[in-house]
């Protein structure tokens, strides 16, 4: 969830909580003013720390975008320098506010350490933030969306999550653990952590995609389709590139080639860039700290294939088989010509 989405929601919630008698028109005005100038409404140290984090994060992502056309050697050098500078800024921020969870999470993700060390640090952070959340009377691990409705004082679970940066940071941490678990072949752990994220309401995510990829790799057909049924209907999971790609991988791994061919063609025709990214592994800026918002439909496809890369590599002959299916290479070439890849 982008800081530009959840931090203004938090600022608005805090302001309205202390100005309960505002009219509907006044509330709308506050909403517009926070969108234009959130700094004006950051009246506490924690709110100012959140805005500082948003500035650091946005600056880093913009700098990464500007590096796209550099040579590999220069890109690696400049990125290492950028990450080092960003971590210094994050260390200073976290020193003053330990509840700026995303700052701690991003610092861990930027560290140049082995994946096992990174996962260990992420799990320590998750445990610490989870303890903080459990100290809140309304938080309930057993509740479907983590909040006890009777203790939310008139707001629903989605609103409670959307306006709580600590909760958002915890969910981001769970997502990061799930994604790194998938990347390091810890498929059951990936599904376990991503399922927790799936329970949240008011938090934009596609954690179900991680679960589907993990279950496809585990060849768990029953679990795969049960997960689809459990997913939030608003996500339209069966139209997503994660479902369409994972279904193809699952059927291929189960040896059902005829059905796998149909699934592959479905993935290629319904997901912009599906054939291209499958046949042409394409670098994607690492998730910092979780899936970034997308601007083009094909970026979702790129994310799904990028996340599945380890599974694809670990599935013998899958890419060669896909390339042999009539129409797949043509679809790849048409996409490349259209978008200049």
């Amino acid at each position: 969830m982008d800081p530009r989405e959840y931090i203004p929601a938090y600022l608005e919630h805090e302001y309205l909580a202390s100005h309960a008698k505002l009219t509907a028109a006044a509330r709308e005005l506050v909403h517009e003013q926070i969108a234009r100038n959130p700094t004006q409404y950051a009246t506490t140290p924690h709110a100012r720390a959140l805005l500082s984090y948003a500035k650091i994060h946005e600056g880093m992502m913009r700098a990464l975008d500007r590096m796209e056309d550099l040579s590999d050697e220069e890109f690696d050098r400049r990125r290492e320098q950028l990450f080092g500078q960003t971590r210094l800024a994050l260390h200073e921020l976290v020193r003053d506010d330990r509840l700026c969870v995303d700052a701690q999470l991003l610092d861990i993700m930027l560290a140049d350490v082995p994946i096992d060390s990174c996962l260990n640090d992420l799990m320590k952070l998750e445990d610490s933030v989870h303890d903080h959340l459990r100290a809140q009377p309304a938080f309930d691990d057993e509740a479907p969306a983590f909040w006890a409705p009777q203790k939310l004082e008139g707001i629903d679970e989605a609103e409670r999550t959307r306006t709580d940066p600590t909760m958002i940071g915890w969910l981001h941490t769970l997502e990061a653990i799930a994604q790194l678990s998938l990347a390091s072949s810890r498929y059951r752990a990936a599904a376990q952590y991503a399922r927790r994220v799936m329970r949240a309401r008011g938090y934009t995510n596609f954690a179900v995609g991680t679960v589907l990829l993990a279950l496809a790799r585990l060849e768990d057909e029953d679990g795969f389709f049960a997960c689809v049924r459990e997913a939030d209907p608003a996500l339209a999971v069966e139209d997503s590139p994660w479902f369409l790609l994972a279904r193809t991988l699952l059927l291929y791994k189960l040896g059902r080639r005829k059905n796998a061919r149909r699934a592959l063609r479905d993935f290629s025709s319904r997901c912009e860039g599906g054939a291209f990214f499958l046949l042409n592994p394409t670098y994607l800026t690492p998730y910092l700290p979780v899936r970034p918002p997308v601007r083009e439909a094909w970026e979702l496809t790129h994310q799904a294939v990028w996340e599945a890369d380890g599974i694809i590599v670990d599935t013998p002959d899958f890419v060669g088989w896909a390339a042999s299916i009539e129409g797949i290479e043509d679809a790849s070439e048409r996409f490349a010509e259209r978008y200049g890849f």
Side-chain angles (χ1 to χ4, degrees):
M1 197 172 190
D2 195 281
R4 290 170 294 186
E5 182 178 353
Y6 71 82
I7 294 176
Y10 164 74
L11 295 175
E12 184 174 345
H13 177 267
E14 292 297 293
Y15 185 86
L16 295 180
S18 60
H19 297 78
K21 295 183 179 180
L22 291 180
T23 65
R27 286 170 175 263
E28 182 61 29
L29 181 61
V30 168
H31 178 81
E32 293 172 358
Q33 289 177 334
I34 289 176
R36 286 197 299 267
N37 184 19
T39 303
Q40 180 183 345
Y41 289 82
T43 58
T44 66
H46 184 54
R48 289 190 286 271
L50 291 171
L51 285 179
S52 294
Y53 165 74
K55 184 177 180 180
I56 292 168
H57 181 266
E58 184 175 1
M60 181 191 67
M61 298 308 293
R62 286 184 175 178
L64 280 172
D65 285 343
R66 292 194 295 268
M67 295 180 192
E68 284 187 353
D69 296 328
L70 297 176
S71 66
D72 288 348
E73 183 178 333
E74 182 66 7
F75 175 83
D76 289 342
R77 187 188 69 80
R78 294 273 294 277
R79 187 176 69 167
E80 182 180 356
Q81 183 181 47
L82 173 65
F83 285 1
Q85 292 169 344
T86 302
R87 292 193 72 201
L88 287 174
L90 292 169
H91 286 167
E92 185 175 342
L93 179 58
V94 171
R95 185 184 62 217
D96 296 331
D97 190 337
R98 297 292 298 178
L99 277 181
C100 193
V101 180
D102 269 354
Q104 296 185 66
L105 173 57
L106 183 57
D107 179 33
I108 292 170
M109 299 295 286
L110 293 180
D112 185 16
V113 298
I115 195 168
D116 286 358
S117 297
C118 185
L119 274 169
N120 185 55
D121 289 341
L122 288 175
M123 287 189 282
K124 288 179 181 177
L125 175 62
E126 187 276 324
D127 189 54
S128 172
V129 180
H130 194 193
D131 282 345
H132 177 82
L133 288 168
R134 282 186 294 204
Q136 300 183 31
F139 185 85
D140 183 355
D141 269 316
E142 303 305 317
F146 296 111
W147 300 109
Q150 68 274 18
K151 297 181 181 180
L152 288 181
E153 301 178 354
I155 64 173
D156 62 20
E157 296 98 325
E159 182 70 8
R160 184 67 177 82
T161 293
R162 192 175 71 89
T163 57
D164 187 336
T166 304
M167 181 67 173
I168 297 294
W170 180 60
L171 292 168
H172 281 170
T173 304
L174 290 174
E175 271 203 275
I177 294 172
Q179 289 161 355
L180 281 185
S181 294
L182 188 72
S184 57
S185 304
R186 296 170 169 91
Y187 302 115
R188 297 188 190 281
Q192 175 189 346
Y193 280 101
R195 282 187 184 280
R196 294 168 75 185
V197 180
M198 283 176 62
R199 291 168 51 194
R201 296 290 177 265
Y203 169 73
T204 307
N205 74 93
F206 227 107
V208 63
T210 302
V211 180
L212 293 176
L213 289 172
L215 293 174
R217 174 61 181 82
L218 294 168
E219 301 179 29
D220 183 354
E221 185 174 11
D222 290 341
F224 182 90
F225 288 104
C227 179
V228 174
R229 293 191 293 273
E230 294 166 12
D232 184 350
L235 290 176
V237 169
E238 292 180 82
D239 294 325
S240 76
W242 283 273
F243 168 79
L244 295 166
L245 174 60
R247 182 181 61 172
T248 305
L249 282 161
L250 174 65
L251 293 169
Y252 180 87
K253 291 180 71 64
L254 292 173
R256 286 151 51 184
R257 294 293 191 270
K258 185 176 181 180
N259 289 337
R261 281 198 304 273
R262 290 172 179 166
L264 175 64
R265 290 187 177 120
D266 202 20
F267 170 66
S268 175
S269 65
R270 293 170 61 187
C271 298
E272 185 80 4
F276 174 81
F277 291 115
L278 186 57
L279 302 187
N280 303 274
T282 305
Y283 178 79
L284 182 63
T285 299
Y287 297 163
L288 299 169
V290 291
R291 291 187 185 97
V294 299
R295 295 157 292 189
E296 302 281 353
W298 59 262
E299 291 179 315
L300 280 179
T301 308
H302 192 184
Q303 288 184 11
V305 179
W306 174 262
E307 291 169 26
D309 183 68
I311 299 171
I312 292 169
V313 170
D314 196 36
T315 304
D317 303 323
F318 178 74
V319 173
W321 165 82
S324 73
I325 302 302
E326 184 179 358
I328 298 302
E329 285 196 336
D330 289 342
S332 172
E333 290 174 8
R334 287 195 301 271
F335 176 83
E337 291 173 1
R338 186 179 310 124
Y339 291 100
F341 278 92

